[in-house]
Amino acid sequence: LLPILYLRFAHAKPGAATRAGLQEQIARLNEEISDLPPKQQLILKMRWFDELTGAEIADSLGMTTDAVRGLLGRAMMKLRERMQCKRV
């Protein structure tokens, strides 16, 4: 979700309305990410920004890949729910 928004922003036409809308979505998403539990925030950032695999994240944090997958899934579910609730 977040990388897609950043990609859209980076490749958006120079129209001010388009850029403003994407900037607003990115700001909202960053705010929602900051409200997640710290471990979920860390795993999201490692996956999205550092582009690490689940196995690499697990090795780095001393966790199992199943634990990483579960935390990442819960974080994504929370973000989707929160972003949809605020859209209405």
Side-chain angles (χ1 to χ4, degrees):
L1 186 65
L2 184 64
I4 292 169
L5 286 176
Y6 280 113
L7 285 174
R8 284 185 192 164
F9 182 75
H11 294 98
K13 301 288 183 205
T18 301
R19 285 200 178 277
L22 288 172
Q23 284 176 327
E24 183 179 313
Q25 286 180 337
I26 290 169
R28 261 190 43 229
L29 189 54
N30 282 330
E31 182 179 314
E32 294 300 337
I33 290 170
S34 69
D35 287 341
L36 292 173
K39 192 163 269 188
Q40 289 180 4
Q41 288 181 43
L42 177 62
I43 288 174
L44 278 176
K45 290 174 183 177
M46 292 175 83
R47 180 70 185 113
W48 288 348
F49 297 110
D50 299 335
E51 298 180 359
L52 298 177
T53 66
E56 291 170 329
I57 295 168
D59 286 343
S60 174
L61 298 178
M63 303 171 69
T64 65
T65 54
D66 286 341
V68 169
R69 191 177 306 119
L71 285 167
L72 186 59
R74 284 192 294 279
M76 291 297 296
M77 187 176 1
K78 287 178 186 177
L79 288 176
R80 283 188 195 105
E81 289 171 358
R82 291 174 181 179
M83 294 297 287
Q84 287 175 352
C85 287
K86 291 187 177 185
R87 189 182 299 174
V88 179

